[in-house]
Every structure is written in C-alpha cells, then in structure tokens.
Amino acid sequence: MLLLGPVQHASAQEGFEAVQEQCVACHGTGVSATEDVPSLGGIDAYYALLQLVAFRSGNRAGDAMQALTAEMSDNDLRAAAAWVASLAPPPVPEAPPPADASAAEGLAQEHRCNTCHGADYRGGKQIPPLRNQREDYLRKALLDFSTEKRLGSRAAMVEVAQALSDAEIDLLARYLATLP
Ligand code: HEC
Ligand code: HEC
C-alpha cells in the first residue's frame, strides 16, 4: 500500500527556495524538456526579472507563471532571476537544421534579428537569447507577438513578428533552435 502524503519541505525553506523545485519540474536546470516551456539557460538576470514582474502584474500571459509569481515578493523574484542567470545555456539539440539554412539566415538578416538579439543570438541584459532555445517555444513566442497576446516591454517584437508569415516563423524557429 502506498502511503504518500503531501510533499514535506524542509521547514526552513521560504520564498524562492520553497518553489524552486516547481521551477525545475517545468523548466529543468537550463534545458527544458517540456513542450512550449522555455529553456532558461543563458538568460540574463535583468531580462528574467523583467519577465517575472510582467507575469506577476499580468502584463505577460501565462497561467502557471502568473499563479506562481502572484505569491512571490520582490526579493523572491530577484532570487529567482539570479537562479535563472546561473544556468548554463542549452547545448545544440539533436534535431536537424532547416533544409534551407541559407534562406533562414537571409530572412534573419533581412529582419535584423541579430541587431537586437546579438550577432550569435546569445541575447543581452534586456534581450533574451534565441540560440538553441526550444523550437516549439520560439514558434509560440513569435505567434504570441504577432497576435498581440504578448506585447513585450517596448512592443518591438510585435512589429517584427507581424511582418513574418507562418512559414517564415516556422523556418526561423527551426534555424534558431538548431544553430550549431
Ligand atoms: C507549470 C510549469 C511552470 C512552472 C512551475 C514555472 N514555469 Fe516559468 N514558464 C512556464 C511557461 C509555460 C512559460 C512561457 C509562458 C508563455 O510565454 O506562454 C514560462 C516562462 C518563464 C520565464 C520567461 C522566459 C523567457 O524566455 O521569456 C521565466 C524567466 C520563467 N518562466 C522562470 C520561472 C521560475 C523562476 C519558476 C519558479 C519560480 C518558474 N518559471 C516556474 C512554465 C512554468
Ligand atoms: C528592435 C530589436 C529587436 C529585433 C529587431 C528583434 N527582436 Fe526579438 N525581442 C526583442 C526584445 C526587446 C524582446 C523581449 C520582449 C519582451 O520584453 O518580452 C524580444 C523577444 C523575442 C522572442 C521571445 C524569446 C523568449 O525567450 O521569450 C523571440 C522568439 C524573438 N524575440 C525572436 C526574434 C526574431 C526571430 C527576430 C527577427 C525576425 C527578432 N526577434 C528581432 C527585440 C528585438
């Protein structure tokens, strides 16, 4: 017979430490194995904090993230952002690159993705990395910007994403996810 009660946390755990296991359950430690859940490795603490605050205030959609951050103080969010920033960037996945990588590269250059996201897509202080992010999450994020479900801090991405067709979004997501 199974006698499993509620998970017992070490009594002294508070704030971010008390929820860190949940973060790991969805996001992994740097590399996400969950559909539509972003890998967090390589993200700067400042960008992470901006997003956590946006979830908490309801400015960014995401049921799980909104519910979790609603219970967190500013200091908890800072601790969470510092944890995110400590995670190593995701490795190159096994998935094959797009059949036409040069078309994808041309498209990225035409839309100047790398002027903001960094020459090698490793992101920056206020900018998320795109390199080796999950393909399904990249596609979802671009679609969320193009439909204005997600606006972002300065709405730059809405304009960028609305200029892309669905096929172009697919191509860019595969290209960025599999950058060697
Ligand atoms: C139930 C699953 C789940 C849990 C638990 C969870 N997340 Fe998330 N997280 C998500 C999803 C899904 C998104 C993407 C939301 C969207 O854009 O639709 C996300 C997005 C994020 C982002 C934004 C990443 C980016 O690239 O913009 C950060 C930062 C983040 N989570 C950190 C955390 C931290 C820290 C914890 C623990 C306190 C946590 N998450 C717990 C599912 C989860
Ligand atoms: C003018 C600067 C700029 C350009 C050009 C730009 N981006 Fe962005 N991008 C941003 C900013 C800023 C964010 C963060 C928005 C926010 O606050 O949520 C972002 C977010 C994203 C995200 C969400 C990542 C995540 O972790 O949630 C994706 C995907 C993305 N950009 C892809 C692209 C692609 C593909 C291109 C080229 C077609 C591009 N971007 C061009 C500034 C830019």
Side-chain angles (χ1 to χ4, degrees):
M1 192 168 106
L2 280 174
L3 287 172
L4 292 180
V7 176
Q8 298 292 318
H9 293 284
S11 55
Q13 284 191 343
E14 285 176 7
F16 170 61
E17 279 190 1
V19 293
Q20 186 170 355
E21 279 174 25
Q22 295 182 54
C23 316
V24 172
C26 282
H27 288 282
T29 49
V31 187
S32 160
T34 317
E35 195 182 338
D36 285 347
V37 176
S39 292
L40 300 178
I43 289 181
D44 188 272
Y46 189 76
Y47 170 80
L49 186 59
L50 284 180
Q51 300 305 314
L52 292 168
V53 169
F55 285 120
R56 189 176 63 178
S57 68
N59 283 341
R60 180 168 170 189
D63 293 342
M65 290 304 300
Q66 286 187 355
L68 203 55
T69 50
E71 307 297 324
M72 293 170 75
S73 68
D74 288 354
N75 274 341
D76 297 341
L77 295 191
R78 275 190 212 103
W83 169 72
V84 168
S86 75
L87 303 170
V92 183
E94 307 234 328
D100 197 346
S102 69
E105 199 179 332
L107 190 60
Q109 259 156 27
E110 182 194 331
H111 292 275
R112 310 198 309 140
C113 311
N114 57 4
T115 57
C116 292
H117 288 277
D120 48 9
Y121 300 104
R122 290 184 204 278
K125 204 167 149 49
Q126 305 189 33
I127 306 275
L130 303 177
R131 190 181 194 87
N132 306 141
Q133 179 55 275
R134 286 184 64 92
E135 180 181 349
D136 51 11
Y137 174 75
L138 290 169
R139 187 185 304 112
K140 177 191 181 298
L142 288 166
L143 290 170
D144 284 349
F145 285 121
S146 76
T147 56
E148 301 187 23
K149 182 183 172 200
R150 178 171 169 190
L151 296 176
S153 42
R154 280 163 297 156
M157 278 310 298
V158 169
E159 208 177 317
V160 169
Q162 286 179 345
L164 300 169
S165 69
D166 286 1
E168 288 174 331
I169 286 178
D170 287 351
L171 182 59
L172 284 169
R174 171 62 67 90
Y175 170 69
L176 295 164
T178 58
L179 277 173

